[in-house]
Amino acid sequence: DQQVKQNSPSLSVQEGRISILNCDYTNSMFDYFLWYKKYPAEGPTFLISISSIKDKNEDGRFTVFLNKSAKHLSLHIVPSQPGDSAVYFCAASAAGGGADGLTFGKGTHLIIQP
Amino acid sequence: EAGVAQSPRYKIIEKRQSVAFWCNPISGHATLYWYQQILGQGPKLLIQFQNNGVVDDSQLPKDRFSAERLKGVDSTLKIQPAKLEDSAVYLCASSLGPRFYEQYFGPGTRLTVT
């Protein structure tokens, strides 16, 4: 039972354009959402997060949008750069007695084309 | 600031053998996590420690996997005996505390069970 779903295994975008990565979740108890970026042979690196009390969070070229009613979040990267080529993971956590291990999606491989 | 250290980086063993992985978290990080990432999947939480106490081990296959965090710093994850399906990357992460703190990941240990 996949609680966090990233339905696009890969996405190809031209350099300078906007990249939009999507994520859906099923667990209503999730209240904190994160995006991680991963290069080959490295561990995931935190990118940006959003609490369920917000619907948008922005950090430089990266913006995350949260639609709680649709249980959907998206990551926008503007403008896309070659160094953005990586696998992006959507992750979520739920409050519960201090246990806050993340539930990850399967990832989307973003390819930025020159 | 030094990142999360893991060793070994790669390990190949035969099924039914045992193996151990080591993790040294970022200094001062009270919370430590072990994740398993099977090829093509997102990381899956195995166990979470707060200092040297276990917060969540609900997804740890306890018949063959064990983990400890002595003195609330370094941690080891052991598999005994290993099965073919244990082939994966084992990621260690640490954070300042539970909830709303960024989790920093190590580079992982790639385990191949033949």
Side-chain angles (χ1 to χ4, degrees):
Chain A
D1 176 32
Q2 238 189 314
Q3 299 186 62
V4 176
K5 299 177 185 178
Q6 293 178 258
N7 293 319
S8 299
S10 65
L11 176 67
S12 183
V13 175
Q14 267 196 317
E15 182 180 356
R17 306 293 284 265
I18 183 172
S19 295
I20 300 176
L21 292 88
N22 294 304
C23 177
D24 298 294
Y25 62 96
T26 58
N27 188 341
S28 300
M29 299 303 293
F30 288 146
D31 64 350
Y32 188 54
F33 304 89
L34 308 91
W35 285 93
Y36 278 81
K37 176 180 180 180
K38 187 180 183 307
Y39 293 118
E42 294 182 11
T45 303
F46 170 76
L47 200 54
I48 192 169
S49 63
I50 188 167
S51 166
S52 60
I53 62 173
K54 294 184 174 182
D55 55 17
K56 177 183 175 181
N57 189 25
E58 200 170 346
D59 184 2
R61 297 186 297 114
F62 303 91
T63 303
V64 57
F65 296 92
L66 175 62
N67 182 334
K68 281 185 295 181
S69 61
K71 293 192 176 67
H72 176 83
L73 62 156
S74 61
L75 174 68
H76 292 211
I77 306 173
V78 183
S80 299
Q81 298 175 354
D84 296 331
S85 294
V87 177
Y88 289 78
F89 289 99
C90 173
S93 76
D100 68 335
L102 299 175
T103 300
F104 283 84
K106 289 186 176 182
T108 296
H109 185 193
L110 177 63
I111 301 162
I112 305 300
Q113 296 187 335
Chain B
E1 177 182 76
V4 176
Q6 290 188 246
S7 68
R9 291 295 310 274
Y10 305 91
K11 189 75 177 178
I12 301 174
I13 62 172
E14 295 183 351
K15 59 184 178 184
R16 291 186 289 274
Q17 286 187 323
S18 62
V19 64
F21 312 125
W22 173 82
C23 173
N24 180 237
I26 293 173
S27 177
H29 280 196
T31 311
L32 186 146
Y33 312 79
W34 283 101
Y35 290 85
Q36 178 194 57
Q37 185 177 12
I38 292 172
L39 187 65
Q41 306 286 322
K44 171 190 163 187
L45 178 72
L46 292 176
I47 189 167
Q48 176 186 347
F49 291 95
Q50 180 68 22
N51 296 309
N52 60 350
V54 175
V55 175
D56 182 6
D57 64 357
S58 58
Q59 300 188 88
L60 186 74
K62 298 180 188 61
D63 57 334
R64 298 184 301 106
F65 286 64
S66 64
E68 60 181 9
R69 190 182 184 197
L70 298 177
K71 301 180 182 178
V73 181
D74 292 6
S75 177
T76 56
L77 176 70
K78 296 178 182 177
I79 307 175
Q80 183 179 8
K83 293 185 175 182
L84 294 176
E85 59 260 36
D86 298 332
S87 294
V89 175
Y90 290 85
L91 294 160
C92 178
S94 69
S95 69
L96 280 169
R99 294 258 81 197
F100 312 120
Y101 285 100
E102 175 186 343
Q103 293 184 25
Y104 293 81
F105 283 81
T109 298
R110 179 176 294 278
L111 173 68
T112 302
V113 182
T114 62

